[in-house]
Amino acid sequence: MNPEYYKGFIKVLNERGIAVVAPEYFLHALSDFGSLSRLTLEIADSIYKVYGYHPACIGGHSAGGYIAAILSDSFKCLVLLSPYVPEDVNIKRPTIIFGGDRDVLTPFWVFQYALFLKIQGDKVLFLLKGANHNTYMDKPMFWDVIAG
């Protein structure tokens, strides 16, 4: 994932007072969850050292949602954008899930809806009409909905 790809969406979040850290994860590196998990938690700890608070939420898009879900116990909430999260992941934190009705990589009813049903506790699911897997980067009209 190239953080530049998310630049416009991150700008909208920043304008609403939401700080975003977007580490560059490559899909082939996702097989090393231990290293990616440590890196993500190190980033969160660095934010605490610099700003004096731990990030409230963790989020992820696509396979990045898997990493976020695994680490969600260390955060107050979870935000997932067209996530790929295997069935064996147990999410206990309040969760917001976004998915698109035109997503062919992680189809809404197979991935987002199934995950939503599995989560125990507070959860919200949004189906974005006309949205595909990468709508979060290429369709600014959805940014305000998500940044809400």
Side-chain angles (χ1 to χ4, degrees):
M1 188 280 290
N2 181 344
E4 283 293 312
Y5 196 47
Y6 295 83
K7 190 175 182 178
F9 180 47
I10 291 171
K11 183 176 184 243
V12 169
L13 294 171
N14 291 159
E15 288 169 353
R16 286 171 173 71
I18 301 169
V20 176
V21 176
E24 189 167 352
Y25 294 142
F26 293 99
L27 192 55
H28 67 273
L30 292 177
S31 61
D32 186 6
F33 284 108
S35 294
L36 292 175
S37 297
R38 282 190 300 281
L39 172 63
T40 303
L41 290 175
E42 286 173 13
I43 291 169
D45 289 342
S46 295
I47 291 170
Y48 179 79
K49 288 175 186 170
V50 172
Y51 296 103
Y53 62 88
H54 200 276
C57 298
I58 187 168
H61 172 235
S62 194
Y66 188 9
I67 296 167
I70 290 171
L71 299 175
S72 62
D73 282 348
S74 298
F75 297 83
K76 292 180 182 174
C77 61
L78 177 62
V79 179
L80 300 172
L81 309 172
S82 293
Y84 166 75
V85 178
E87 291 181 13
D88 63 340
V89 176
N90 187 14
I91 297 172
K92 302 172 195 156
R93 295 287 182 235
T95 303
I96 299 173
I97 303 171
F98 293 92
D101 65 346
R102 294 189 180 168
D103 186 343
V104 296
L105 294 176
T106 58
F108 180 83
W109 299 108
V110 176
F111 288 90
Q112 288 84 54
Y113 184 70
L115 178 62
F116 175 78
L117 293 177
K118 186 176 170 265
I119 296 171
Q120 302 297 314
D122 295 336
K123 57 190 175 183
V124 178
L125 176 66
F126 291 95
L127 172 60
L128 303 175
K129 297 284 186 179
N132 63 40
H133 190 73
N134 292 319
T135 289
Y136 314 103
M137 288 73 69
D138 59 17
K139 298 236 193 264
M141 65 186 197
F142 290 109
W143 298 347
D144 286 326
V145 173
I146 296 166

